[in-house]
């Protein structure tokens, strides 16, 4: 989720407590604790590092007590005389990190919450990257705290941060069941939230080397079949992954990647999970000069099938064309167990 949602959930958790440290820093520090795991974006100064490290070890449930202790040690205002003990600050910080992991794990991006025991990306496919139905009630609860029923508003907002994603998980499963009933012979199928879900969903289905993207409404009804897109062949992805680190990490991350041959002979492989079926949302992205897929891999191949050059684009980052770099056995992805 976005940083505003994470910070608001942490602030509400502090305000919902029956008693809190008598310092004006209590709520800002709670918001900081709930948003802290996303500090890993500071490590992603290249597209490859961003894919390797974002929502990695900083989002691991097994390590959350360690990160919670680190936060508790730097939260000096909470531990002043009359405030919390180190143990209370540690417990609260750890719970805020777990709340952060929960909100990220139900999104389409997912998180490596099971590190260091497993590199499985926990991905609920229930929330879009920005969800106003989640964020706006949290902000409204914060604004209502100054009223007579302020603590009740904070409790309601905190419950919303926990229960709304759970409800969306149930809705996603129901929509996926409807899609499988309508398209029973697909080899792989995913139902993802579109902009303003739960009213809009996207169905990605692969069959016989082709991928279909269809819109689904809140009642589980799909629109007419869209043009088929060529799926990236597994053999090609394996060849690219064996020769270049960017290709390797992208292959592990991508969901039903699509393949296209561009002018100039370069192969474009891109991920479909963050697109939209809504014309107005697609037009907005186009006006903002942003592609619907923020994760794009380009590769130029020699006649013998070896990789000549690679280019990885991640959100606003761009590696530029460069010679293939073999997967690193001592890099961040190796530490994550991805190699």
């Amino acid at each position: 989720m976005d940083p505003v949602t994470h910070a608001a959930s942490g602030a509400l958790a502090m305000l919902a407590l029956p008693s809190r440290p008598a310092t004006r820093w209590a709520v800002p520090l709670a918001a900081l604790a709930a948003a802290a795991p996303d500090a890993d974006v500071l490590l992603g100064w290249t597209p490859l590092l961003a894919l390797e490290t974002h929502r990695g070890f900083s989002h691991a449930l097994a390590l959350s007590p360690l990160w919670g202790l680190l936060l508790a040690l730097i939260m000096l205002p909470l531990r002043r005389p009359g405030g919390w003990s180190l143990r209370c600050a540690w417990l609260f910080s750890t719970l805020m990190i777990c709340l952060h992991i929960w909100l990220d794990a139900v999104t389409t991006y997912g998180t490596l919450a099971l590190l260091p025991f497993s590199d499985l990306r926990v991905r609920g496919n229930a929330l879009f990257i920005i969800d106003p139905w989640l964020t706006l009630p949290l902000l409204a609860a914060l604004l209502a705290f100054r009223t007579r029923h302020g603590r009740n508003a904070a409790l309601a907002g905190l419950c919303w941060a926990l229960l709304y994603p759970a409800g969306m998980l149930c809705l996603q499963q129901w929509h996926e069941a409807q899609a499988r009933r309508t398209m029973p012979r697909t080899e792989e199928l995913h139902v993802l939230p579109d902009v303003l879900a739960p009213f809009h969903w996207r169905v990605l289905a692969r069959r016989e080397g082709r991928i279909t993207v269809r819109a689904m409404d809140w009642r589980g009804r799909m629109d007419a079949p869209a043009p088929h897109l060529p799926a990236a062949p597994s053999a090609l992805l394996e060849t690219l992954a064996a020769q270049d680190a960017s290709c390797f990490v992208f292959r592990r991350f991508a969901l039903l990647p699509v393949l296209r041959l561009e002018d100039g002979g370069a192969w474009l492989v891109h991920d479909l999970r963050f697109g939209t079926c809504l014309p107005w949302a697609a037009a907005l992205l186009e006006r903002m000069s942003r592609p619907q897929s923020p994760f794009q891999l380009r590769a130029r191949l020699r006649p013998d099938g070896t990789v000549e050059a690679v280019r990885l684009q991640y959100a606003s980052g761009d590696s530029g064309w460069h010679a293939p770099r073999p997967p690193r056995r001592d890099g961040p992805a190796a530490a994550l167990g991805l190699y």
Side-chain angles (χ1 to χ4, degrees):
M1 295 306 298
D2 60 277
V4 173
T5 303
H6 286 305
S9 66
L12 287 171
M14 178 63 77
L15 293 172
L17 294 175
S19 61
R20 57 183 184 274
T23 171
R24 62 181 180 179
W25 292 102
V27 174
L29 287 174
L32 174 64
D38 280 344
D40 60 7
V41 298
L42 301 176
L43 302 175
W45 55 82
T46 69
L48 176 57
L49 283 173
L51 270 181
E52 287 179 329
T53 59
H54 186 41
R55 297 193 181 178
F57 273 118
S58 65
H59 291 64
L61 282 171
L63 298 178
S64 59
L66 175 61
W67 306 135
L69 178 59
L70 179 62
L71 285 170
L73 289 173
I74 64 177
M75 288 182 172
L76 296 178
L78 298 184
R79 297 188 287 114
R80 288 174 179 167
W84 279 349
S85 65
L86 178 61
R87 179 183 300 178
C88 289
W90 173 48
L91 177 60
F92 181 82
S93 299
T94 301
L95 290 175
M96 292 304 94
I97 292 173
C98 291
L99 177 59
H100 182 114
I101 295 171
W102 159 246
L103 293 177
D104 280 352
V106 296
T107 65
T108 52
Y109 192 102
T111 180
L112 300 175
L114 303 181
L115 288 175
F117 307 108
S118 171
D119 64 345
L120 173 69
R121 184 173 291 275
V122 181
R123 178 172 46 82
N125 290 340
L127 298 182
F128 197 66
I129 49 177
I130 297 177
D131 191 326
W133 310 124
L134 173 61
T135 306
L136 292 179
L138 301 186
L139 297 179
L142 284 175
L143 293 176
F145 183 75
R146 295 292 184 182
T147 66
R148 184 176 56 181
H149 303 289
R151 182 168 175 264
N152 290 334
L155 281 170
L158 182 60
C159 290
W160 185 251
L162 296 171
L163 298 180
Y164 173 77
M168 288 295 290
L169 280 172
C170 296
L171 283 175
Q172 191 275 339
Q173 289 295 306
W174 182 84
H175 282 83
E176 187 167 307
Q178 303 307 306
R180 293 188 183 280
R181 188 176 294 113
T182 305
M183 309 171 70
R185 294 187 297 275
T186 56
E187 302 165 5
E188 186 177 352
L189 185 145
H190 301 276
V191 174
L192 310 177
D194 205 330
V195 179
L196 297 181
F199 300 105
H200 304 284
W201 300 82
R202 298 168 64 236
V203 180
L204 309 183
R206 178 170 60 85
R207 182 183 177 190
E208 298 178 352
R210 311 292 289 182
I211 296 177
T212 302
V213 182
R214 300 178 66 176
M216 174 182 278
D217 64 17
W218 62 276
R219 292 168 292 186
R221 299 190 306 183
M222 288 189 287
D223 64 1
H228 297 295
L229 303 170
S234 298
L236 174 62
L237 295 178
E238 293 292 340
T239 298
L240 295 176
Q243 301 180 56
D244 180 74
S246 297
C247 297
F248 183 93
V249 174
F250 185 87
R251 176 181 65 86
R252 294 295 302 267
F253 173 82
L255 177 68
L256 288 181
V258 172
L259 182 69
R260 188 176 79 223
L261 182 62
E262 296 186 310
D263 295 338
W267 289 104
L268 168 64
V269 183
H270 63 91
D271 189 273
L272 292 174
R273 80 181 75 192
F274 297 115
T276 178
C277 292
L278 301 176
W280 65 267
L284 179 62
L285 287 174
E286 186 176 352
R287 283 198 297 270
M288 296 171 63
S289 299
R290 294 184 178 180
Q292 288 198 33
S293 174
F295 307 96
Q296 299 184 351
L297 175 71
R298 289 176 170 83
R300 289 200 295 258
L301 304 182
R302 299 185 181 93
D304 62 357
T306 58
V307 179
E308 178 184 3
V310 173
R311 179 181 181 184
L312 178 63
Q313 292 175 286
Y314 173 90
S316 58
D318 190 337
S319 69
W321 286 103
H322 58 83
R325 302 161 184 164
R328 296 169 293 171
R329 305 299 171 180
D330 58 348
L336 298 180
L338 300 181
Y339 292 144

